[in-house]
Short mmCIF file of all heavy atoms in Angstrom, two decimals:
data_model
loop_
_atom_site.label_atom_id
_atom_site.label_comp_id
_atom_site.label_asym_id
_atom_site.label_seq_id
_atom_site.Cartn_x
_atom_site.Cartn_y
_atom_site.Cartn_z
N PHE Q 49 -6.39 -29.67 20.34
CA PHE Q 49 -6.57 -30.38 21.60
C PHE Q 49 -7.59 -29.59 22.40
O PHE Q 49 -7.40 -28.39 22.65
CB PHE Q 49 -5.24 -30.47 22.34
CG PHE Q 49 -5.25 -31.45 23.47
CD1 PHE Q 49 -5.24 -32.82 23.23
CD2 PHE Q 49 -5.26 -31.01 24.79
CE1 PHE Q 49 -5.25 -33.72 24.28
CE2 PHE Q 49 -5.27 -31.90 25.83
CZ PHE Q 49 -5.26 -33.27 25.58
N ILE Q 110 11.00 -45.21 24.84
CA ILE Q 110 10.14 -44.14 25.35
C ILE Q 110 10.43 -42.89 24.53
O ILE Q 110 11.55 -42.69 24.07
CB ILE Q 110 10.43 -43.90 26.85
CG1 ILE Q 110 9.98 -45.10 27.68
CG2 ILE Q 110 9.80 -42.60 27.33
CD1 ILE Q 110 10.41 -45.05 29.12
N ALA Q 119 6.73 -37.71 28.87
CA ALA Q 119 7.28 -38.91 28.27
C ALA Q 119 6.11 -39.81 27.92
O ALA Q 119 5.07 -39.78 28.59
CB ALA Q 119 8.23 -39.61 29.24
#
Side-chain angles (χ1 to χ4, degrees):
F49 193 73
I110 292 171

